[in-house]
Every structure is written in C-alpha cells, then in structure tokens.
Amino acid sequence: MKTKKYLLLASFFMNALTGCKSEDKPVIPEMPDEKGKVDVSTNCLPGQETGLYQTYYRPQQGFVGDPMPYYNTNDKKFYLFYLYENANRHPIYLTRTSDYGLFEGFTEVLPTGAIGSQDEWIGTGSFLKKGSTHYCFYTGHNSNLNPVEKVMLATSNDLLNWTKQPAATVQAPEGYDRNNFRDPHVYWDEVRNTYVMLVTTRKDGKGTLARYTSSDLTSWAMIDPLVATTGNTLGKNEIETDAELLECPDIFKMGNKWYLTFSRINRDEHRKTFYRVADSPEGPWKISRDASGHHETFDGLYLYAGKTISDGTSRYISGWSSSGQTVNNNKELPWAGNLITHKLVRQANGRLYPVIPEAVDRKFNKEVEFAMIKSQGDVSGDKGSYRIAAQSSTRSYALFNRNTDAIKLSMTIDATQSDQFGFSFGACESPDEAYSVLFDLTAANRWNMPSLFMYKEARNDSSTGRSELNFTPLIVPSSKVFKLKIIIEKSICVVYVNDQVAFTNRILKMDQNPWTLFADKGSVKISGMKIEQSQ
C-alpha cells in the first residue's frame, strides 16, 4: 500500500508540474541499489532556513549590504567590510577569509553617527593603506540635511579600531548633485602618480563619477569627471552606459588594460554590476564586444554593488545577493542578503570572466549517492550519464532526489542537438514551487541573445505559465558542450558555465526538495554527473 500511495502522489505532482497530458506515462527507472541509499520521496518540505551559511556568508542575524573588500598583507587575509543591514542605519561590519571558502568574525568596526549628524546613516566607501595608517573613505547620509550626502573619512592603525576625521569631509561642488554624492573609491593611479578618488554623483542630468587627486589623502583637488554617455562616438573621460547613477565604482589594472566596475541603479531588468575596459584611467570606457555579442556583466540581478580586490595574484569580485525573489513596486529586489564572490579571469583579448573560487571548488570533495527517482518523456541512462529528449516540443525530464545539505553539482552537457534545456528546483507537489534555470542557446527571446534565464513556473488545472525573474547573457561555444559547476547552499544557487559565465539566484525551498534535469527542445546528453558535499 505504501508503494501505491507514493506512485500516485508522484504521478499527480509531475503531471501538474509539466503540463503533460493524461495519456503520458511516467517512466520509473530500475535502480534499486541507488534508491536504497537516498530519499526518494516527493512530498513538499517548507524549507525554513536554519543555521549559518558556510560558503555564501551572511550574519546569523541580519544581512550583508554593500561590500568593501580589502587585502591585508600582514596576515594574508581578505577583509570584507560591509554595510550591515538589520533594521539599523548601516554601520560597517567586518568578516575575514583566507580564500573565500570559509569566513570568520562578525565585528562592528565603524558605528553610525548620532541622530542628526551627517553620518546618521553610513553608505558605501573603500579602504586602503598609506604608510602605517589605514584609511576608510565612506558616505555620510542624512536625508534631513542639505546636502544629504558627503564623503567622510576614518583612520586606523589595526583595521579594527577606527577614528572618524570630520575635518576631512568632502561635499559636492557647484554643478554636481549635492544629494547624490556617495560611494567614494580611492586608488593609487600609476599614470598620474598620485591618489585618485571617484565619487558617484550626477552632473548635467547624467550619471557621473566625480574625480579628485591627492598626495596625502586629506587635501583633494578636482579633475575632469568620468561621464556616462549613450552617444555613437565615445571620447575621453566618457563611459559607454545609460546608468542614471554608477554606484559602488571600482577601478583597477590587469595586464595592459584598465577596468571600471559599477552597479547600474536604473530600476529595470539590468540593475546589475557592470564593467568597462579602457587603455588608461582617462578612458574612453567601452563595452567589451566580439562576434558572439557583448560581455559587460559578471552575473545577473543577484550580484549587486560588486567591488573587487586582489592579493597580488588573483582578483575577486564580491557583491550581495538579495534576500528576496521578486522585485517590489519600485522595481527593486530587497536590499542586502548574502555575500557572493567570483574569481575574475582575464582573457588574452582583455575580457573578464567569472569563475568559481578555487577554495569553494575544493571544499566540496565528498561524493554522495544520488538517484533518478522518476522521469517523464524520452529519458534514458543512469549513474551520472543520461539522455533527455523533448517530445514534440513538450518537456521531458528526469527527477532526482532532494539534497538537504550544501552541495556542488557537476556535469557536462552536450547540447549539439538542443537549443533549450535546463534545471528545475523546488520540485515538490505544489505546482507553483518550481523554479527553472533555462539555457536558451538562441537569440529568439526578448533579449535577442543566447541567455540563461531564471523562471518561476506556475501551473494549475486550467493554465500553464511562467514569469522571468532573472537573466544573464550566455556564451555558447561552437561545440555546444557545457561544463557546469553548481553550488547550492540553502536558498542560494550559483551556476558556473565553462569558466565564462556565472548565474546566481535565490530559490526558496531549493535545498529541501527534489530537482530535475529537462529538455524543452531537441535532446541533450549528460555525462560525468556527480554530487559532492564538504567534508
């Protein structure tokens, strides 16, 4: 009787999930050895998050806002300063890591100012060292003052105890937006042989990075700004972008190129971290393009406020992944969430690609059993090798067991015979709990380019539909073979593709429920599939 109950329940759920006709017959593979070692149930678990994140850092209470990474050469650790969100005014907190595989510490280092002060609220900034002194340039924000925002300074000898220096405050000059003057980024400019500060603001109605120079980090002289432009020709000091504000800017040199990163504040589907490339800090700052399309982002909507840091060998970009799944009435995802970090690799042509940090890859090294517990349509194979073929443009899928611990899912997908395939997570009895990551290899979508999509799939007795929650451009190799590494921790899912593309999403209940591999068009071959946990 238990067996019959299980089969009826699974059949009901999968018919609802895929919109299959009643005459479609589910295929249940014969895998008694595998099934005996895993949970083959498909009942829906609520997925209440408990415990600490071990890979994608988040405090036990509250969330990570804009990160401000710094590398300390004394102890060879990355210091991740960040705006702490916990129904407060965003003091700066700190966590540390040697390699982004494990984090330590939860320490307040810069408290907000008193009520009524300029830094009643604190905004993003940057950290650097000159001599034996560490400098923190940050935003002081108070909506009851005029101007609302100013650049402020704190100094420290040990990175933990900071003294505010109110005499060093900088405010917007005439002609610049006095109430949007924030996110100072200070760096050593080897071309000018001096320190340069970028400040996010507006001028003449355009997104602008105000620029200052200084030899002592206390007295600043203004120089020509960098200005957003959408014109057909790009000149000196111009940035190819329509960003209304270029938030959380960062600038660095890799090889013989300079790179500028910023987060585009516009309230639309492109509210992400972008980058531009130039031959010098003066620009012009261009989108990196080639025959396969543009390459201007590192991830989708779930990498915002991304800033970079290098230990002298490798460079990493860290941003936050929103705690929510859907945008609000202001067309924004909820502010703050988990810390997301990708390693950046520079290609010979100058493009930057995001890859999985080595320590994250290494920490998941204990293989665990898995099983295909159900399939629908044209599906064959077992033990990590499968063929899935859509039938008359109807989805075929293989359903796999739930994994309640953090995992790394690895595989190679041969898509020479398919243009649309992917994964569905949160596959339990409730039809509106399925979230799909779709590989669309065509340009026949609303973005007119091959893309990775995140969809919420909703089905009931009378209709079938899906809503797009996120996307990022996909680089399709001529072989149409994709090597994937997917890290899943609680509700965070990060997909790495061919060491060229990263795609982060928030998928509630994902780690508590079964998941699928599917083909929507043509057929795909999966090989080398394995699931690994950390030791």
Side-chain angles (χ1 to χ4, degrees), residues 84-185:
Y84 177 47
E85 164 61 25
N86 191 22
N88 52 14
R89 302 195 306 277
H90 301 162
I92 295 178
Y93 271 63
L94 167 67
T95 189
R96 291 173 284 194
T97 181
S98 297
D99 52 17
Y100 293 94
L102 186 66
F103 294 86
E104 62 182 31
F106 169 65
T107 307
E108 182 182 68
V109 295
L110 193 68
T112 54
I115 298 296
S117 66
Q118 181 63 56
D119 62 349
E120 178 179 313
W121 289 73
I122 286 180
T124 312
S126 59
F127 290 74
L128 77 161
K129 185 179 182 181
K130 180 179 182 291
S132 60
T133 303
H134 300 278
Y135 293 76
C136 167
F137 292 88
Y138 67 99
T139 306
H141 178 101
N142 188 329
S143 59
N144 295 315
L145 298 180
N146 184 16
V148 171
E149 294 181 331
K150 295 181 181 181
V151 172
M152 306 188 76
L153 173 65
T155 57
S156 172
N157 293 321
D158 61 4
L159 289 169
L160 299 176
N161 300 284
W162 292 85
T163 301
K164 295 181 179 180
Q165 309 291 345
T169 299
V170 178
Q171 71 178 54
E174 198 67 32
Y176 289 79
D177 188 337
R178 292 163 55 85
N179 295 324
N180 285 289
F181 194 74
R182 59 178 177 270
D183 303 350
H185 181 80

Side-chain angles (χ1 to χ4, degrees), residues 5 28 45 47 104 113 169 192 202 281 357 401 428 438 457:
K5 182 178 181 181
I28 303 177
L45 298 180
E104 62 182 31
T169 299
R192 292 179 176 271
R202 286 192 182 101
N401 58 280
C428 54
L438 175 72
E457 297 192 340

Side-chain angles (χ1 to χ4, degrees), residues 245-353:
L245 280 172
L246 296 90
E247 289 199 303
C248 306
D250 188 4
I251 188 171
F252 55 92
K253 187 179 183 182
M254 290 181 74
N256 62 348
K257 295 292 186 180
W258 285 82
Y259 296 89
L260 175 71
T261 67
F262 59 91
S263 288
R264 181 179 175 274
I265 198 173
N266 306 37
R267 290 174 171 85
D268 57 24
E269 295 93 337
H270 306 283
R271 189 180 169 93
K272 309 172 183 178
T273 299
F274 286 74
Y275 83 94
R276 297 293 184 263
V277 61
D279 292 325
S280 84
E282 307 305 312
W285 293 96
K286 300 178 181 179
I287 296 173
S288 179
R289 292 182 174 90
D290 66 9
S292 64
H294 67 269
H295 306 272
E296 55 176 333
T297 58
F298 304 109
D299 203 327
L301 296 175
Y302 286 86
L303 182 78
Y304 197 78
K307 298 194 71 168
T308 79
I309 195 62
S310 174
D311 60 1
T313 302
S314 300
R315 185 168 290 274
Y316 300 88
I317 185 166
S318 297
W320 53 262
S321 174
S322 175
S323 61
Q325 281 188 304
T326 56
V327 297
N328 56 27
N329 292 334
N330 216 19
K331 295 185 178 180
E332 298 173 311
L333 286 167
W335 192 83
N338 290 71
L339 183 71
I340 302 296
T341 299
H342 307 310
K343 181 180 176 181
L344 295 182
V345 174
R346 180 180 182 272
Q347 302 297 313
N349 54 24
R351 289 194 295 272
L352 298 180
Y353 291 147

Side-chain angles (χ1 to χ4, degrees), residues 268-273 297-304 320-322 324-327 333 435-440 446-447 451-456 467-473 493-495 502-507:
D268 57 24
E269 295 93 337
H270 306 283
R271 189 180 169 93
K272 309 172 183 178
T273 299
T297 58
F298 304 109
D299 203 327
L301 296 175
Y302 286 86
L303 182 78
Y304 197 78
W320 53 262
S321 174
S322 175
Q325 281 188 304
T326 56
V327 297
L333 286 167
Y435 294 84
S436 293
V437 175
L438 175 72
F439 287 65
D440 186 348
R446 73 186 188 113
W447 303 117
S451 298
L452 279 172
F453 288 95
M454 171 66 175
Y455 290 112
K456 179 178 180 179
S467 56
E468 179 187 325
L469 302 181
N470 193 10
F471 96 99
T472 198
C493 174
V494 184
V495 180
F503 192 42
T504 303
N505 284 282
R506 176 79 64 178
I507 307 176

Side-chain angles (χ1 to χ4, degrees), residues 341-415:
T341 299
H342 307 310
K343 181 180 176 181
L344 295 182
V345 174
R346 180 180 182 272
Q347 302 297 313
N349 54 24
R351 289 194 295 272
L352 298 180
Y353 291 147
V355 303
I356 186 172
E358 287 92 340
V360 176
D361 198 10
R362 288 194 307 265
K363 75 182 289 185
F364 294 92
N365 56 13
K366 177 185 175 183
E367 286 197 46
V368 296
E369 299 289 343
F370 63 89
M372 180 172 68
I373 56 177
K374 178 181 171 59
S375 67
Q376 187 75 54
D378 187 354
V379 179
S380 60
D382 63 5
K383 300 186 184 300
S385 295
Y386 308 94
R387 179 185 178 274
I388 305 175
Q391 294 182 306
S392 301
S393 297
T394 299
R395 174 175 295 182
S396 292
Y397 67 85
L399 176 72
F400 293 89
N401 58 280
R402 69 185 84 227
N403 296 280
T404 56
D405 294 318
I407 62 167
K408 177 176 70 176
L409 172 61
S410 306
M411 71 186 71
T412 298
I413 298 181
D414 181 340

